[in-house]
Amino acid sequence: NNTNNTKIDLLGMDACLMAMLEVYYQFFNYADIGVASEETEPGDGWEYAFLSELSSTPNMTAATLGTYIVDYYANSYSDGNGNPSDVSNYTLSAFDINVLAGTGTSESVAQITNHLSNLLCSYMYDNYNKINAAQNNCSRFDNRWSQSDDYIDLYDFADKMNYQNINSSINNWTQELMDRIDDAIIYEEHGSSRSWAHGISIYFEENSSEYESDYN
């Protein structure tokens, strides 16, 4: 209301587990580029030396700045310098929030996810074991504040779902979802132990007993 509808160029979250479809869906009307981590962040968080790049080139695009943020972050945890200590489980991605979560004529990751979800629900009765196997085979992000790992990589789930080969309709939507995630991700880096990370996660409990009803 106070910016004459001017969007924020880049909305970055130097915090754990924020590169979620649901988190950034809340901001597609308010920001253009997002930068966040699917995984829990190491204690040192972002490497803010990326600001030197912005200082020297203040007219760079938000997408370019997002790329620098990811680059500096990944290098800080893999350069062998020891301060901060290197880790193998870091993730950070820069993405186009509108492609991720917008409601334009070209369908976003969020819209395609809804289509796929509805389709999976309609086939759930006869294919529960295959659908469950897809999510069960996904690697999970480590929510250290919970007894369960609540989040999975959305691309990885679509890929695992595609592997189940239930029918061509589901396979078409899973492939479209993976393609659209690729469109949304501007730049992404991950450590060697997170090779399955593609930049965007989603809340998906492994067991129904762990589902947090307040999430509704």
PDB file of all heavy atoms in Angstrom, residues 159-173:
ATOM      1  N   ASP A 159       9.908 -36.720 -10.199  1.00  0.00           N
ATOM      2  CA  ASP A 159      10.747 -37.710 -10.874  1.00  0.00           C
ATOM      3  C   ASP A 159      10.447 -39.122 -10.351  1.00  0.00           C
ATOM      4  O   ASP A 159      10.310 -40.068 -11.142  1.00  0.00           O
ATOM      5  CB  ASP A 159      12.218 -37.361 -10.648  1.00  0.00           C
ATOM      6  CG  ASP A 159      13.158 -38.208 -11.480  1.00  0.00           C
ATOM      7  OD1 ASP A 159      12.852 -38.481 -12.653  1.00  0.00           O
ATOM      8  OD2 ASP A 159      14.216 -38.599 -10.952  1.00  0.00           O
ATOM      9  N   LYS A 160      10.340 -39.257  -9.034  1.00  0.00           N
ATOM     10  CA  LYS A 160      10.025 -40.563  -8.449  1.00  0.00           C
ATOM     11  C   LYS A 160       8.611 -41.009  -8.839  1.00  0.00           C
ATOM     12  O   LYS A 160       8.350 -42.201  -9.047  1.00  0.00           O
ATOM     13  CB  LYS A 160      10.141 -40.488  -6.922  1.00  0.00           C
ATOM     14  CG  LYS A 160      11.543 -40.188  -6.392  1.00  0.00           C
ATOM     15  CD  LYS A 160      12.505 -41.303  -6.683  1.00  0.00           C
ATOM     16  CE  LYS A 160      13.788 -41.202  -5.849  1.00  0.00           C
ATOM     17  NZ  LYS A 160      14.524 -39.947  -6.016  1.00  0.00           N
ATOM     18  N   MET A 161       7.688 -40.051  -8.949  1.00  0.00           N
ATOM     19  CA  MET A 161       6.325 -40.360  -9.363  1.00  0.00           C
ATOM     20  C   MET A 161       6.305 -40.821 -10.815  1.00  0.00           C
ATOM     21  O   MET A 161       5.592 -41.760 -11.181  1.00  0.00           O
ATOM     22  CB  MET A 161       5.462 -39.110  -9.185  1.00  0.00           C
ATOM     23  CG  MET A 161       3.975 -39.329  -9.196  1.00  0.00           C
ATOM     24  SD  MET A 161       3.360 -40.235  -7.772  1.00  0.00           S
ATOM     25  CE  MET A 161       3.016 -41.824  -8.538  1.00  0.00           C
ATOM     26  N   ASN A 162       7.096 -40.175 -11.632  1.00  0.00           N
ATOM     27  CA  ASN A 162       7.190 -40.551 -13.042  1.00  0.00           C
ATOM     28  C   ASN A 162       7.695 -41.981 -13.187  1.00  0.00           C
ATOM     29  O   ASN A 162       7.233 -42.741 -14.051  1.00  0.00           O
ATOM     30  CB  ASN A 162       8.128 -39.576 -13.759  1.00  0.00           C
ATOM     31  CG  ASN A 162       7.807 -39.432 -15.230  1.00  0.00           C
ATOM     32  OD1 ASN A 162       6.678 -39.641 -15.650  1.00  0.00           O
ATOM     33  ND2 ASN A 162       8.794 -39.062 -16.014  1.00  0.00           N
ATOM     34  N   TYR A 163       8.639 -42.353 -12.333  1.00  0.00           N
ATOM     35  CA  TYR A 163       9.232 -43.695 -12.370  1.00  0.00           C
ATOM     36  C   TYR A 163       8.195 -44.776 -12.083  1.00  0.00           C
ATOM     37  O   TYR A 163       8.310 -45.902 -12.588  1.00  0.00           O
ATOM     38  CB  TYR A 163      10.373 -43.771 -11.353  1.00  0.00           C
ATOM     39  CG  TYR A 163      11.032 -45.126 -11.263  1.00  0.00           C
ATOM     40  CD1 TYR A 163      11.968 -45.531 -12.227  1.00  0.00           C
ATOM     41  CD2 TYR A 163      10.724 -45.995 -10.227  1.00  0.00           C
ATOM     42  CE1 TYR A 163      12.567 -46.777 -12.150  1.00  0.00           C
ATOM     43  CE2 TYR A 163      11.329 -47.244 -10.141  1.00  0.00           C
ATOM     44  CZ  TYR A 163      12.253 -47.631 -11.110  1.00  0.00           C
ATOM     45  OH  TYR A 163      12.842 -48.871 -11.029  1.00  0.00           O
ATOM     46  N   GLN A 164       7.178 -44.451 -11.301  1.00  0.00           N
ATOM     47  CA  GLN A 164       6.135 -45.431 -10.990  1.00  0.00           C
ATOM     48  C   GLN A 164       5.283 -45.779 -12.201  1.00  0.00           C
ATOM     49  O   GLN A 164       4.665 -46.844 -12.253  1.00  0.00           O
ATOM     50  CB  GLN A 164       5.246 -44.908  -9.854  1.00  0.00           C
ATOM     51  CG  GLN A 164       5.958 -44.753  -8.519  1.00  0.00           C
ATOM     52  CD  GLN A 164       6.493 -46.069  -7.984  1.00  0.00           C
ATOM     53  OE1 GLN A 164       5.867 -47.112  -8.088  1.00  0.00           O
ATOM     54  NE2 GLN A 164       7.688 -46.012  -7.402  1.00  0.00           N
ATOM     55  N   ASN A 165       5.237 -44.869 -13.171  1.00  0.00           N
ATOM     56  CA  ASN A 165       4.604 -45.136 -14.474  1.00  0.00           C
ATOM     57  C   ASN A 165       3.166 -45.659 -14.321  1.00  0.00           C
ATOM     58  O   ASN A 165       2.789 -46.682 -14.907  1.00  0.00           O
ATOM     59  CB  ASN A 165       5.453 -46.137 -15.263  1.00  0.00           C
ATOM     60  CG  ASN A 165       5.131 -46.134 -16.749  1.00  0.00           C
ATOM     61  OD1 ASN A 165       4.737 -45.105 -17.304  1.00  0.00           O
ATOM     62  ND2 ASN A 165       5.292 -47.279 -17.406  1.00  0.00           N
ATOM     63  N   ILE A 166       2.361 -44.927 -13.561  1.00  0.00           N
ATOM     64  CA  ILE A 166       0.973 -45.338 -13.360  1.00  0.00           C
ATOM     65  C   ILE A 166       0.170 -45.219 -14.649  1.00  0.00           C
ATOM     66  O   ILE A 166      -0.529 -46.145 -15.061  1.00  0.00           O
ATOM     67  CB  ILE A 166       0.323 -44.506 -12.234  1.00  0.00           C
ATOM     68  CG1 ILE A 166       0.994 -44.849 -10.901  1.00  0.00           C
ATOM     69  CG2 ILE A 166      -1.178 -44.747 -12.162  1.00  0.00           C
ATOM     70  CD1 ILE A 166       0.516 -44.005  -9.742  1.00  0.00           C
ATOM     71  N   ASN A 167       0.257 -44.066 -15.290  1.00  0.00           N
ATOM     72  CA  ASN A 167      -0.399 -43.891 -16.594  1.00  0.00           C
ATOM     73  C   ASN A 167       0.174 -42.652 -17.277  1.00  0.00           C
ATOM     74  O   ASN A 167       0.925 -41.884 -16.681  1.00  0.00           O
ATOM     75  CB  ASN A 167      -1.925 -43.798 -16.460  1.00  0.00           C
ATOM     76  CG  ASN A 167      -2.379 -42.668 -15.569  1.00  0.00           C
ATOM     77  OD1 ASN A 167      -1.897 -41.542 -15.681  1.00  0.00           O
ATOM     78  ND2 ASN A 167      -3.309 -42.959 -14.660  1.00  0.00           N
ATOM     79  N   SER A 168      -0.196 -42.453 -18.526  1.00  0.00           N
ATOM     80  CA  SER A 168       0.375 -41.364 -19.317  1.00  0.00           C
ATOM     81  C   SER A 168      -0.066 -39.993 -18.811  1.00  0.00           C
ATOM     82  O   SER A 168       0.690 -39.013 -18.906  1.00  0.00           O
ATOM     83  CB  SER A 168      -0.006 -41.523 -20.794  1.00  0.00           C
ATOM     84  OG  SER A 168      -1.411 -41.523 -20.960  1.00  0.00           O
ATOM     85  N   SER A 169      -1.272 -39.892 -18.259  1.00  0.00           N
ATOM     86  CA  SER A 169      -1.748 -38.600 -17.760  1.00  0.00           C
ATOM     87  C   SER A 169      -0.882 -38.107 -16.605  1.00  0.00           C
ATOM     88  O   SER A 169      -0.455 -36.945 -16.575  1.00  0.00           O
ATOM     89  CB  SER A 169      -3.206 -38.711 -17.304  1.00  0.00           C
ATOM     90  OG  SER A 169      -4.053 -38.995 -18.390  1.00  0.00           O
ATOM     91  N   ILE A 170      -0.618 -38.994 -15.662  1.00  0.00           N
ATOM     92  CA  ILE A 170       0.235 -38.623 -14.532  1.00  0.00           C
ATOM     93  C   ILE A 170       1.644 -38.322 -15.004  1.00  0.00           C
ATOM     94  O   ILE A 170       2.266 -37.334 -14.591  1.00  0.00           O
ATOM     95  CB  ILE A 170       0.229 -39.734 -13.469  1.00  0.00           C
ATOM     96  CG1 ILE A 170      -1.140 -39.803 -12.780  1.00  0.00           C
ATOM     97  CG2 ILE A 170       1.329 -39.505 -12.426  1.00  0.00           C
ATOM     98  CD1 ILE A 170      -1.279 -40.922 -11.778  1.00  0.00           C
ATOM     99  N   ASN A 171       2.158 -39.150 -15.904  1.00  0.00           N
ATOM    100  CA  ASN A 171       3.516 -38.926 -16.404  1.00  0.00           C
ATOM    101  C   ASN A 171       3.631 -37.599 -17.136  1.00  0.00           C
ATOM    102  O   ASN A 171       4.659 -36.914 -17.045  1.00  0.00           O
ATOM    103  CB  ASN A 171       3.940 -40.062 -17.322  1.00  0.00           C
ATOM    104  CG  ASN A 171       4.293 -41.324 -16.557  1.00  0.00           C
ATOM    105  OD1 ASN A 171       4.221 -41.357 -15.339  1.00  0.00           O
ATOM    106  ND2 ASN A 171       4.671 -42.376 -17.270  1.00  0.00           N
ATOM    107  N   ASN A 172       2.593 -37.221 -17.873  1.00  0.00           N
ATOM    108  CA  ASN A 172       2.625 -35.940 -18.576  1.00  0.00           C
ATOM    109  C   ASN A 172       2.701 -34.777 -17.600  1.00  0.00           C
ATOM    110  O   ASN A 172       3.459 -33.819 -17.808  1.00  0.00           O
ATOM    111  CB  ASN A 172       1.393 -35.797 -19.469  1.00  0.00           C
ATOM    112  CG  ASN A 172       1.442 -36.691 -20.688  1.00  0.00           C
ATOM    113  OD1 ASN A 172       2.505 -37.144 -21.095  1.00  0.00           O
ATOM    114  ND2 ASN A 172       0.288 -36.956 -21.282  1.00  0.00           N
ATOM    115  N   TRP A 173       1.941 -34.861 -16.507  1.00  0.00           N
ATOM    116  CA  TRP A 173       1.936 -33.774 -15.533  1.00  0.00           C
ATOM    117  C   TRP A 173       3.217 -33.751 -14.718  1.00  0.00           C
ATOM    118  O   TRP A 173       3.727 -32.664 -14.381  1.00  0.00           O
ATOM    119  CB  TRP A 173       0.724 -33.879 -14.616  1.00  0.00           C
ATOM    120  CG  TRP A 173      -0.520 -33.332 -15.244  1.00  0.00           C
ATOM    121  CD1 TRP A 173      -1.624 -34.035 -15.629  1.00  0.00           C
ATOM    122  CD2 TRP A 173      -0.786 -31.960 -15.574  1.00  0.00           C
ATOM    123  NE1 TRP A 173      -2.558 -33.189 -16.176  1.00  0.00           N
ATOM    124  CE2 TRP A 173      -2.069 -31.913 -16.155  1.00  0.00           C
ATOM    125  CE3 TRP A 173      -0.070 -30.779 -15.431  1.00  0.00           C
ATOM    126  CZ2 TRP A 173      -2.651 -30.723 -16.593  1.00  0.00           C
ATOM    127  CZ3 TRP A 173      -0.646 -29.593 -15.876  1.00  0.00           C
ATOM    128  CH2 TRP A 173      -1.917 -29.561 -16.437  1.00  0.00           C
TER     129      TRP A 173
END
